[in-house]
Amino acid sequence: MLKRVVAKTKNAPKSQKVGKLPSKQEILDFLQGASQQAGKREIARAFGIKGGDRVTLKALLRDMADDGLIAGSRRKLERPGVLPSVTVIEIVERDSFGEFIARPANWSEEHGPPPRILIVESKQDKGPASGIGDRVLARITPLGAAADTPYQARPIKRLPRATRSQLGIFRALPGGGGIIDPVDRKQLKEWRVARGATNDAENGELVRFELGGPARFGAANARITDRLGNPQDQRATSLIAIHAHGIPDTFPEAVLNEADAAKEPDLKRREDLRHLPFVTLDPVDARDRDDAVWAEADPDPRNKGGWVVMVAIADVASYVKPGSALDKEARARGNSVYFPDRVVPMLPERISNHLCSLQAKEARPCLAVRMVFDKDGRKRGHRFLRGLMRSAAALAYEQAQAAIDGNPDDVTGPLLEPVLLPLWGAYGSLTRARTERAPLDLDLPERRIQLDEQGRVRGVTSPPRLDAHRLIEEFMIAANVAAAEELEAKHTPLIYRVHDQPSKEKLAALSEFLSTLGVKLPKTGQLKPAHFNRILAETRASPVAELAGEMVLRSQAQAEYSAGNFGHFGLNLRRYAHFTSPIRRYADLMVHRALIRAHKLGNDGLTDAEMPLLEKVAEAISGTERRAMAAERETADRLIAAYLADRIGARFAARVSGLTRTGLFVRLSETGADGFVPASSIGHEYFYHDEKRQALIGEETGAAFQLGDPVEVRLVEAIPSAGALRFELLSEGRMIGIKPARGRIQGQWRKPQSPRKGRTRGRR
């Protein structure tokens, strides 16, 4: 016991005699230096206070609380508004200078508004800063109460993002308080909100909330922190994804000021390309145009049938300089994020939609590559240059394709012979080279959501893939390969776009699935994309063609950015870098800077400080890319769920797109929407999940539902806020050659019992 008392008195002043009532300042000093939670009991032990003196101590602590010197409960006392030297903070915004501002991750509202904390980057760590929403363990230094930011923080390490802050729909209850329906489909439950924790939210409003401690009966309470407006408004659906994933959608004042002050670069050292009739080919609703193309038959008699192709890319590097506020913001965002109703751009509109957008008839600075191909599409050489170009026309894919197909309009008619036909001629040669290279041929349908003027879903379509799309794709791939080759030849570090080979585990799962279709995956040697292409060709005429493609896609690794090169498996390329979209991808901007440095094309190239940090940048922008993909996918799911919400009870044609022991996932043929069929709505027997055959099989009849099967389903429930659809299965299972096996689990025969692992119970 004596050891315990001595240990607890280490934080007490040395001049303080054990047993004597401490002064207010001594108590404040003790609380400031306490390494763990400290309350009345800990103070008493630290100062050796016993017996009747505890009552006096209690009165002293009450007086200090009344004076605002301390706050909290008897078990946890603290100095209000004073942060410990090391604490967890959450980044919440950027200030007018583009610097990150944080607040304490755990802050009691009894202390008033949380203090603003300025993030100060360490001189030893010049890599990409944390992003808004990140939690950081940091060392805190007070700057004084009069400062705009009373504290500054030096990050020690970034912590995993907190999952306690969520989005939901607030439902007010009579008498105050309410409940929240979360928008996260994994949290389909209700959270209660006490009367004092609603933040004046109105019924039906979209809110951000945090989960507090457990209430009296064990259920966690929620506290509303932000009101985000009516979830039925046009902008609410994408707002949910933006806030849920911490995507920054407003620019700091310093960034906007730099964009407004941007001026056109010096054109003296640029090659004049304005005489070449470049054109841009984009979707009809394109919001920015960062690439233009031009081609002609190679006049060199030594390259008969060959082509000269030029790809000109917006020169973003001339406006976004290393270390500027624009650069820091672009690096933190990593990429633009595209939703059906809006774009969250990587760069402010004046840069992305004006100065750097290759508008028709407007002179624009560019970074271009001139490539020469032979008649079979093999590249004979390339040259990079910094130039000034002028687009002859801004064309939509469908518009250019119609002209090639014999239906030109007033714009494309004059361009057909001198511009479009040479482009298609060069594309024909590159197509032959592509066929020889044999990249992974996954031509999966794209789902496009069409909105009306009020932002509601008007329909969901899968636009056809045109040669115009493939032409731009091939030209961009060629330019990206040239960029990687050039920088390697110049021994200049760069960020590669890499795609690893499929893992052994994924290949094993794919092989098992394909075996149920009578298709074999080669086991010898190293697999190449051509092996997968043969599988796709074998199944192309079958009913499971789309799902076979889906399974092949699922077996692939995810493409990412890296400062090291291990090739691009899907494209079957040894080296590849993103060069063609610097308006919307930070990786491309870094490649542009590397090329500028390698060819001494200006003083705005890759800096010495950036070169050793490329791997760190690559890791960060790979993360922002995954974040964007998740947000875009969730938004599409929510919009389609809202579109189908008034069709409860309707029947739909679908295919089985996934299986688990708890039910089936189905994909609607009409919209491509994904939904779930619980096992309880399937048949009148027990079903078990056969992973090898990718099927749910009835134990009594052997009737099965297999991946890719066409089925008919009835919509039972739609939850737009979560993007969730629940269906009932109307189709009967089919026989797939499995003998009825009552009580059989994984090849074993046993008497039927209650549901076990690996079996799902259907409706009896």
Side-chain angles (χ1 to χ4, degrees), residues 643-706:
Y643 176 57
L644 298 176
D646 60 352
R647 300 178 67 181
I648 302 297
R651 297 184 175 212
F652 298 91
R655 287 192 182 275
V656 177
S657 60
L659 304 106
T660 69
R661 66 185 185 86
T662 58
L664 304 172
F665 292 95
V666 295
R667 180 166 299 154
L668 302 189
S669 303
E670 177 185 340
T671 61
D674 294 305
F676 187 66
V677 179
S680 59
S681 66
I682 304 175
H684 302 275
E685 58 182 314
Y686 290 113
F687 283 79
Y688 67 92
H689 182 205
D690 188 319
E691 292 188 16
K692 179 179 179 180
R693 292 178 174 82
Q694 287 292 301
L696 286 184
I697 303 173
E699 286 185 333
E700 298 179 6
T701 66
F705 297 94
Q706 194 173 24

Side-chain angles (χ1 to χ4, degrees), residues 190-213:
E190 296 179 346
W191 303 102
R192 301 195 66 85
V193 184
R195 276 180 289 185
T198 66
N199 197 17
D200 298 324
E202 298 179 359
N203 184 56
E205 201 167 26
L206 178 67
V207 297
R208 180 188 290 274
F209 67 97
E210 294 179 350
L211 300 180

Side-chain angles (χ1 to χ4, degrees), residues 559-581:
E560 59 185 349
Y561 295 105
S562 171
N565 181 33
F566 49 86
H568 197 293
F569 178 80
L571 293 175
N572 199 14
L573 292 168
R574 294 178 58 188
R575 54 187 64 83
Y576 190 67
H578 273 167
F579 160 75
T580 54
S581 295

Side-chain angles (χ1 to χ4, degrees), residues 71-97:
S73 64
R74 62 186 180 87
R75 293 186 177 182
K76 182 181 179 181
L77 293 170
E78 54 191 6
R79 297 183 65 178
V82 177
L83 298 180
S85 59
V86 176
T87 191
V88 177
I89 59 178
E90 180 180 0
I91 299 174
V92 294
E93 62 176 320
R94 287 181 182 269
D95 63 13
S96 59
F97 298 100

Side-chain angles (χ1 to χ4, degrees), residues 401-549:
Q401 188 68 56
I404 291 295
D405 293 341
N407 298 297
D409 58 22
D410 293 342
V411 176
T412 57
L415 298 174
L416 182 59
E417 291 287 340
V419 178
L420 296 181
L421 287 179
L423 286 172
W424 256 257
Y427 164 63
S429 292
L430 267 65
T431 300
R432 289 191 285 274
R434 177 188 174 90
T435 302
E436 183 179 345
R437 191 177 82 244
L440 190 60
D441 189 18
L442 275 172
D443 206 356
L444 299 176
E446 178 188 4
R447 181 176 61 173
R448 286 181 65 91
I449 298 175
Q450 298 175 328
L451 304 179
D452 61 20
E453 294 180 355
Q454 285 73 43
R456 297 183 297 248
V457 178
R458 185 174 70 241
V460 182
T461 62
S462 294
R465 283 271 291 169
L466 305 173
D467 281 344
H469 295 103
R470 297 184 178 95
L471 180 151
I472 291 298
E473 182 178 286
E474 287 305 311
F475 284 9
M476 298 304 115
I477 289 174
N480 289 337
V481 171
E485 291 175 344
E486 184 72 7
L487 291 172
E488 281 193 359
K490 293 289 186 179
H491 304 289
T492 303
L494 72 147
I495 292 178
Y496 293 90
R497 180 65 167 178
V498 294
H499 181 218
D500 208 353
Q501 300 180 24
S503 67
K504 293 181 179 179
E505 294 77 13
K506 288 186 176 182
L507 287 177
L510 177 63
S511 181
E512 285 193 348
F513 166 70
L514 292 174
S515 67
T516 67
L517 304 179
V519 178
K520 291 186 177 181
L521 185 68
K523 295 182 179 179
T524 58
Q526 187 176 10
L527 284 176
K528 296 182 179 180
H531 294 114
F532 293 99
N533 291 341
R534 282 198 285 272
I535 293 168
L536 296 171
E538 286 184 49
T539 58
R540 189 158 290 145
S542 72
V544 296
E546 184 177 331
L547 268 301

